[in-house]
Amino acid sequence: MKEVYWGYWLIVLGVFITIVMMLISNVTTSSTQDYYLIKEVTEAAMLDAVDLATYRDKGDLKINQEKFVESFLRRFSENVSISKTYQIDFYDLKEMPPKVSVKVSSSSNTFTINGDSKSFKIVDKVDAILELPRKNVNE
């Protein structure tokens, strides 16, 4: 009879470990997806915000800050999960040379175990500098 109890405890331990692994996996997978989403959206928004008139005339690469922020927010909102709340902060927006720093904070789903609720704050930061081949103005 003693061996049967050990078997029950082993099964309960296995179920507990499986639940903990599923919760940790959910948090890390969400963080990884958010990071790559931020990275791709930042790159696309920077390309959208390039001032083509300055690039054609002088060959200098310059972005419009307002256009970048607008494009970033539009693209990001189209691709995020509705169940999460995001806080987006823009740091160090420079028009020339084009450089942006974006920080996106989100909260994970609330997990309740034994009446104790836990949620994690996930912060992703991306710094991006846009480089394109320089146009030869003399031609």
Side-chain angles (χ1 to χ4, degrees):
M1 192 69 174
K2 191 166 44 169
E3 291 82 16
V4 173
Y5 286 123
W6 278 107
Y8 288 141
W9 283 113
L10 191 61
I11 291 172
V12 169
L13 181 65
V15 169
F16 178 73
I17 289 174
T18 304
I19 290 171
V20 168
M21 293 296 285
M22 287 173 51
L23 294 176
I24 292 172
S25 174
N26 188 16
V27 170
T28 57
T29 302
S30 176
S31 174
T32 304
Q33 290 172 345
D34 285 348
Y35 171 76
Y36 284 109
L37 175 65
I38 295 165
K39 183 178 162 189
E40 294 295 323
V41 167
T42 301
E43 182 181 350
M46 285 182 80
L47 289 174
D48 284 349
V50 169
D51 187 3
L52 294 176
T54 305
Y55 184 66
R56 273 190 228 120
D57 294 341
K58 299 178 184 174
D60 293 332
L61 196 57
K62 182 179 177 182
I63 63 169
N64 185 343
Q65 290 180 2
E66 290 82 17
K67 195 171 181 183
F68 168 76
V69 171
E70 178 186 342
S71 179
F72 182 89
L73 292 176
R74 180 181 48 82
R75 287 176 180 271
F76 189 76
S77 66
E78 289 173 353
N79 294 307
V80 294
S81 171
I82 296 174
S83 64
K84 291 169 108 182
T85 303
Y86 294 93
Q87 178 183 353
I88 301 172
D89 297 317
F90 297 100
Y91 298 101
D92 201 21
L93 288 171
K94 291 188 178 181
E95 290 186 343
M96 191 170 174
K99 179 188 181 294
V100 296
S101 297
V102 180
K103 180 176 97 172
V104 178
S105 304
S106 64
S107 296
S108 66
N109 296 335
T110 303
F111 305 108
T112 304
I113 300 173
N114 249 359
D116 187 23
S117 297
K118 294 285 184 189
S119 68
F120 302 100
K121 185 172 183 179
I122 302 167
V123 178
D124 293 309
K125 296 178 184 177
V126 173
D127 297 320
I129 300 172
L130 184 63
E131 294 180 338
L132 290 176
R134 184 163 173 85
K135 179 183 168 187
N136 192 355
V137 180
N138 298 331
E139 290 181 1

